[in-house]
Every structure is written in structure tokens, then in C-alpha cells.
Amino acid sequence: MGKMLVYHGSNTRIEVPKILKGRHTKDFGEGFYCAVIKEQAERWAKRYEPPIVNAYSLLINDSLSILEFKSMTEAWLDFIVDCRNGKTHKYDIVIGAMADDQIYNFISDFMEGIITRKQFWNMAKFKYPTHQIAFCTDEALKCIRFESSEGVLQ
């Protein structure tokens, strides 16, 4: 992966990203989450007031421990379930599909035993493409550099 822009939806300008501890219920555990799709970050930002999208240049250090899910697979589902159950992992960066609100509900139902794994996969269809990069360590955050921030129209 060469140099590229990634985006983070927020309610504030974030020039120096930090990993907020104690939020184990995220897809890929604790981390600073970005998207490669600007419109996705805009949707994230619209949850806040005021909605702001921060842009960062990204150049990944290949010596870091990176886990990438190229598609929604059994391993992707199991990793998300583990992270949402509070299990930690050793990766600096985790990349893959985001469990949007609808998928989040299906994962919760799967975790609670309300639906089976097979039922989850039958229902797991995204309305629009999603992608996320979780920077899970301070070393991983060194791969991104703040470029700009802009407000998002509601």
C-alpha cells in the first residue's frame, strides 16, 4: 500500500490522533479509526455536532504487525466478535470491512445466540461499501500525518 489519504469523522479538528483506551466494543478493538472512503467518514462525522472530517496522509511502515481482511470472512467475523467481547490482539494496524449499524445488530444477535452463523451470513449485506483502518498502537499512529479538516454539511 503506497502513500494515500485516509479520513476520520469527528466533531473536532484532530491534528494529533490518539488511541482512546477502554473502548473494546469497536470492531477491531481499541484504536484510532479511519476510512479510505471520504463519504464514509462524512457519514461517521454526521453523528456529531459539528460534523468534521479530518484528512491524513498515510504511508504504512511494513515492519509493523498488520492484519488485513480483504473481504468479510469467517475469520473477520470471529475477530470482530473477539474484539467486541474485550479480547485484545497484538496487531499495530487492522484493515477491513466495517460492521455498519445493520451488520452491528446482526453481530450482536449472533453473539447472543439469537441467530446462527449461517443466518448471519445470509443477512450480512452492506448498503454501501465500507472500509476501515484501525491504528491500534502509538507506533502505528506514526504512519499518518494530519493534512486538513473540513466541516460536513448536514
Side-chain angles (χ1 to χ4, degrees):
M1 184 181 289
K3 188 173 183 179
M4 62 188 294
L5 284 179
V6 295
Y7 306 93
H8 176 83
S10 181
N11 66 341
T12 187
R13 179 182 178 104
I14 303 174
E15 292 185 31
V16 181
K18 295 178 187 160
I19 297 167
L20 301 179
K21 301 292 183 186
R23 302 266 333 242
H24 293 287
T25 59
K26 297 279 190 179
D27 289 351
F28 300 151
E30 293 176 340
F32 183 77
Y33 283 72
C34 291
V36 296
I37 304 167
K38 186 177 182 184
E39 292 79 15
Q40 180 180 327
E42 289 172 349
R43 286 191 297 273
W44 287 351
K46 287 180 180 179
R47 299 177 299 171
Y48 305 107
E49 187 57 42
I52 295 174
V53 170
N54 294 280
Y56 304 89
S57 57
L58 166 65
L59 184 58
I60 289 185
N61 175 347
D62 291 329
S63 70
L64 296 177
S65 177
I66 299 169
L67 175 61
E68 182 172 9
F69 296 101
K70 302 253 185 217
S71 62
M72 291 180 7
T73 62
E74 295 289 339
W76 170 85
L77 175 60
D78 292 340
F79 190 83
I80 289 175
V81 167
D82 284 347
C83 288
R84 290 192 178 174
N85 278 324
K87 185 175 178 185
T88 58
H89 59 78
K90 63 181 188 247
Y91 299 101
D92 296 300
I93 297 173
V94 181
I95 303 168
M98 178 184 86
D100 66 7
D101 291 342
Q102 182 180 13
I103 299 298
Y104 180 88
N105 291 335
F106 297 152
I107 290 174
S108 293
D109 289 347
F110 172 68
M111 290 170 65
E112 293 173 21
I114 296 170
I115 62 173
T116 66
R117 186 177 290 267
K118 183 177 180 182
Q119 289 170 318
F120 168 83
W121 287 114
N122 286 335
M123 293 187 287
K125 294 185 171 55
F126 289 110
K127 296 181 226 170
Y128 39 79
T130 60
H131 185 272
Q132 62 189 348
I133 302 174
F135 299 91
C136 304
T137 63
D138 290 334
E139 199 60 32
L141 287 176
K142 293 177 184 177
C143 295
I144 60 175
R145 188 185 60 162
F146 178 80
E147 294 291 336
S148 65
S149 66
E150 64 183 48
V152 177
L153 297 176
Q154 290 280 23

